[in-house]
Amino acid sequence: MTVAHRSFQITDAFDSGNIKVLDTSNPLQVLLEIKPDTHSPHFQWFHFKVSGLHVGQEHWFRLGNASKSFFNKAWDGYQAVASYDHVNWFRVPTIFEGDTLRFSLEAEHTHAWFAYFEPYSRARHDWLIDHALTKAGTELLATGKSVEGRDIPLLRKGSGAEGRRKVWIIAQQHPGEHMAEWFMEGVIERLCRHDDTILEKLLAGADLYLVPNMNPDGAFHGHLRTNAKGQDLNRAWQNASEELSPEVFFVQQQMKLHGVDLFLDIHGDEEIPYVFTAGCEGNPGYTPRIEALEKHFREHLKGLTKDFQSKHGYTRDLPGQANMTLACNSVGQAFDCLSLTLEMPFKDNNDAPNPITGWSGKRSMQLGKDVLSTVAALVGTLR
Ligand code: GEM
Ligand code: ZN
């Protein structure tokens, strides 16, 4: 919606926009709300543009329904991001109090964007796919269709020949987790490199199967959790359907066709200010072999970067207690392979904080690049 107050305007009428404007009678103290996902009560993602800011003055933006959001504990220690050019994003002073999240900007220009996290646009997605095909040596193996008919490209790097390991990385099942596609850009960027001996080692033994964006409809509509039918795709892996969750249905078909030897499902976590992985230890088919691979993955990645750790994360599932509707558990069980959910923070990595940007697109990209080194170290032991 777009609401005008003389020259002061707030709009979410663009790719991944989400805001409801309640009161702009005082442009320095604006009252807003986050809109829930279509056909679903979940909300947390926001993204809007403000024009007519008073340069030199402090504007406050209040999200009046923040305490009712899906992860309502996540606002503590959270800072919103803002940008004057939709390219460079920075954190702004943010306070969560009562029902309300409020953040401020001392305006340096007459317009600015605000978001829950640095957004990954559909336009950049289109560029990324083109870049992957023309510069990173991937092929377009298949294209799925979302509920609303948006493309879901599946890229492959490597020949697909018999005996090679099949490494799958999928991202942004949860549409508000934009860091996930930034991570994929890092992966694809690294595939463009020449003279990268670690990458050569990886590609000597494995093919990469990449789905940079699993939920394009949800991302476009500014959703937090669901696709256009209100389905949480990371709860759809036990009974995906062409009608309700074609995005998952497509990827499962392709996995059956090609096989899986390693699966990484890339996400963002609203609450925990660290990067971590969750495994499928609650699966009936979880074995010491998978456990050892999981440990190797974590130890290796920890050794590479301060932007990964294994101390903080989700409570481990008890044996046999896995939720089989999750991608990580479902794929790990079906293919008896190392299968991990990788979570990046919306806030920051408290082991290596950056007060200007917090966790960011750039850091997500770097992590995507680094993870390929860890995959290279494991590739000979995946089977
Ligand atoms: C997740 S992933 C939950 C994984 N949990 C365990 N214990 N394996 C989800 O889908 O809710 C978090 C996220 O959305 O990023
Ligand atoms: Zn998620």
Side-chain angles (χ1 to χ4, degrees):
M1 69 188 295
T2 305
V3 171
H5 176 82
R6 289 179 217 102
S7 65
F8 187 78
Q9 278 200 29
I10 298 184
T11 182
D12 72 347
F14 52 83
D15 174 21
S16 81
N18 180 324
I19 209 69
K20 184 176 174 188
V21 180
L22 296 185
D23 185 3
T24 56
S25 53
N26 178 357
L28 300 183
Q29 295 280 351
V30 171
L31 184 59
L32 308 164
E33 268 187 9
I34 307 173
K35 293 185 211 166
D37 295 1
T38 323
H39 307 303
S40 152
H42 301 137
F43 64 87
Q44 194 105 19
W45 173 262
F46 59 89
H47 181 194
F48 57 92
K49 183 184 181 184
V50 186
S51 331
L53 290 166
H54 303 180
V55 173
Q57 294 203 45
E58 189 174 57
H59 287 259
W60 280 93
F61 301 89
R62 287 183 288 151
L63 305 183
N65 61 348
S67 69
K68 297 185 186 69
S69 69
F70 191 52
F71 297 99
N72 62 355
K73 306 260 186 309
W75 301 116
D76 284 321
Y78 168 77
Q79 289 186 294
V81 296
S83 174
Y84 290 113
D85 55 9
H86 216 257
V87 175
N88 297 293
W89 293 82
F90 52 92
R91 301 278 168 170
V92 292
T94 304
I95 297 164
F96 179 54
E97 221 171 45
D99 286 339
T100 303
L101 185 83
R102 57 192 159 96
F103 43 85
S104 69
L105 180 72
E106 196 175 309
E108 290 175 21
H109 300 278
T110 54
H111 68 267
W113 286 263
F114 296 87
Y116 187 35
F117 187 83
E118 183 176 348
Y120 200 97
S121 69
R122 188 65 180 169
R124 195 170 180 116
H125 166 89
D126 291 341
W127 166 82
L128 180 63
I129 300 304
D130 189 56
H131 189 63
L133 296 175
T134 57
K135 298 286 186 341
T138 67
E139 64 175 305
L140 183 61
L141 197 56
T143 304
K145 289 282 179 196
S146 66
V147 168
E148 294 181 341
R150 290 190 176 82
D151 285 350
I152 303 171
L154 165 62
L155 304 168
R156 181 170 68 193
K157 173 83 175 179
S159 68
E162 190 110 0
R164 293 167 59 73
R165 299 286 83 97
K166 293 142 202 327
V167 173
W168 282 76
I169 312 179
I170 72 166
Q172 216 173 337
Q173 287 202 81
H174 292 136
E177 294 165 10
H178 285 249
M179 56 287 280
E181 195 161 3
W182 285 110
F183 177 102
M184 295 305 284
E185 185 172 320
V187 168
I188 288 164
E189 218 30 85
R190 186 156 182 196
L191 295 182
C192 298
R193 277 190 203 164
H194 304 283
D195 310 322
D196 181 335
T197 51
I198 295 172
L199 183 65
E200 281 167 19
K201 183 187 162 209
L202 167 60
L203 297 175
D207 296 327
L208 299 181
Y209 294 77
L210 308 174
V211 184
N213 191 320
M214 285 289 292
N215 195 342
D217 295 349
F220 184 82
H221 292 300
H223 288 185
L224 175 71
R225 286 296 277 191
T226 66
N227 71 358
K229 293 268 190 190
Q231 300 290 307
D232 180 335
L233 296 182
N234 204 26
R235 298 294 181 273
W237 286 70
Q238 205 164 32
N239 50 8
S241 79
E242 281 180 286
E243 196 213 333
L244 293 177
S245 44
E247 301 88 353
V248 173
F249 193 88
F250 162 68
V251 170
Q252 284 180 323
Q253 265 186 336
Q254 293 295 319
M255 285 179 160
K256 275 186 210 135
L257 201 59
H258 301 287
V260 185
D261 298 308
L262 165 62
F263 176 55
L264 299 176
D265 183 16
I266 312 303
H267 285 253
D269 186 275
E270 290 79 357
E271 292 171 339
I272 301 174
Y274 297 96
V275 180
F276 58 96
T277 51
C280 48
E281 67 282 346
N283 277 3
Y286 193 68
T287 57
R289 182 183 82 85
I290 305 292
E291 188 176 9
L293 284 170
E294 203 180 310
K295 213 173 252 170
H296 189 187
F297 183 99
R298 292 194 175 120
E299 291 307 313
H300 190 277
L301 190 52
K302 259 199 282 188
L304 278 184
T305 172
K306 274 194 164 158
D307 278 342
F308 183 76
Q309 56 80 54
S310 58
K311 200 168 144 204
H312 308 272
Y314 299 142
T315 313
R316 287 172 72 83
D317 285 339
L318 294 170
Q321 297 296 300
N323 177 347
M324 300 311 290
T325 67
L326 268 64
C328 167
N329 298 339
S330 167
V331 174
Q333 182 67 26
F335 294 94
D336 182 30
C337 65
L338 176 61
S339 181
L340 297 168
T341 310
L342 186 143
E343 298 280 348
M344 290 170 277
F346 276 87
K347 298 174 184 172
D348 203 346
N349 166 16
N350 282 3
D351 285 337
N354 180 328
I356 312 263
T357 63
W359 191 255
S360 64
K362 190 171 159 201
R363 294 174 78 183
S364 309
M365 274 179 75
Q366 184 57 48
L367 187 68
K369 292 179 189 178
D370 289 342
V371 161
L372 290 186
S373 298
T374 294
V375 176
L378 264 72
V379 86
T381 57
L382 290 174
R383 287 293 174 196

